[in-house]
Amino acid sequence: MIAAGRMLTKRLLRATFGEGATRYAHALYHAVLRRIGAFGVPETAATQRLLAALAGQAGTIIDVGVNIGRFSWFLARHRRPGVPLYGFEPNAEAYALALRNLAGLPALTLLPVGLAENDQTATLAVPQDATGTPVSGLGYILDGPPPADHRATQAV
């Protein structure tokens, strides 16, 4: 029921105000989640305790594939003061949301690149949900040219 409501809301926003409205609503939704303390990582309590302990002992934190920033946000709240956090996110849409979601965190460097063994350019495919919204967490590097039905691809 909640999923159907979210889908209907996305479609109404897009139809009424255009594509930018859904991006704005998504950013606003994340801001509300951060404000009420619900912008957490989708992990068990035991995993969260482990991640918090690791962040508390780290000299540097690296988040590869930041997406919208949930793990970076969590790790930043559990690290010692001054410990640098470096984040990498090649998906332009997810990177833009991560910039908003992580704005103001100290000792944070967020870069719009992917990491790999070789310095090269690849094509990132980002699937879309039923409303046409990119599902950045499911992105993957294409092996070869993009299929004709892939509208959301970008060079990384």
Side-chain angles (χ1 to χ4, degrees):
M1 176 131 156
I2 292 174
R6 287 178 66 190
M7 186 180 301
L8 179 61
T9 302
K10 285 180 185 180
R11 286 184 176 159
L12 286 172
L13 281 170
R14 187 176 288 120
T16 306
F17 301 107
E19 185 62 37
T22 57
R23 289 187 185 100
Y24 176 78
H26 204 168
L28 181 61
Y29 171 66
H30 291 160
V32 169
L33 290 178
R34 287 192 314 277
R35 170 78 77 188
I36 64 173
F39 188 72
V41 294
E43 301 294 340
T44 65
T47 301
Q48 288 184 28
R49 285 191 302 274
L50 176 63
L51 290 171
L54 291 171
Q57 296 300 312
T60 300
I61 297 172
I62 299 173
D63 186 352
V64 178
V66 167
N67 196 278
I68 62 168
R70 286 183 187 271
F71 280 88
S72 289
W73 178 264
F74 179 88
L75 296 169
R77 291 179 31 224
H78 292 91
R79 66 185 168 166
R80 292 170 300 173
V83 169
L85 193 157
Y86 297 93
F88 302 89
E89 178 51 56
N91 181 305
E93 294 250 354
Y95 177 77
L97 277 171
L99 280 176
R100 288 183 183 150
N101 291 334
L102 303 174
L105 288 178
L108 171 74
T109 303
L110 187 59
L111 300 169
V113 297
L115 298 182
E117 292 178 359
N118 304 314
D119 185 13
Q120 63 187 25
T121 300
T123 301
L124 177 68
V126 182
Q128 296 178 346
D129 67 13
T131 66
T133 302
V135 184
S136 57
L138 300 178
Y140 58 95
I141 298 297
L142 287 172
D143 185 21
D149 64 346
H150 261 64
R151 293 181 301 159
T153 60
Q154 56 189 281
V156 296

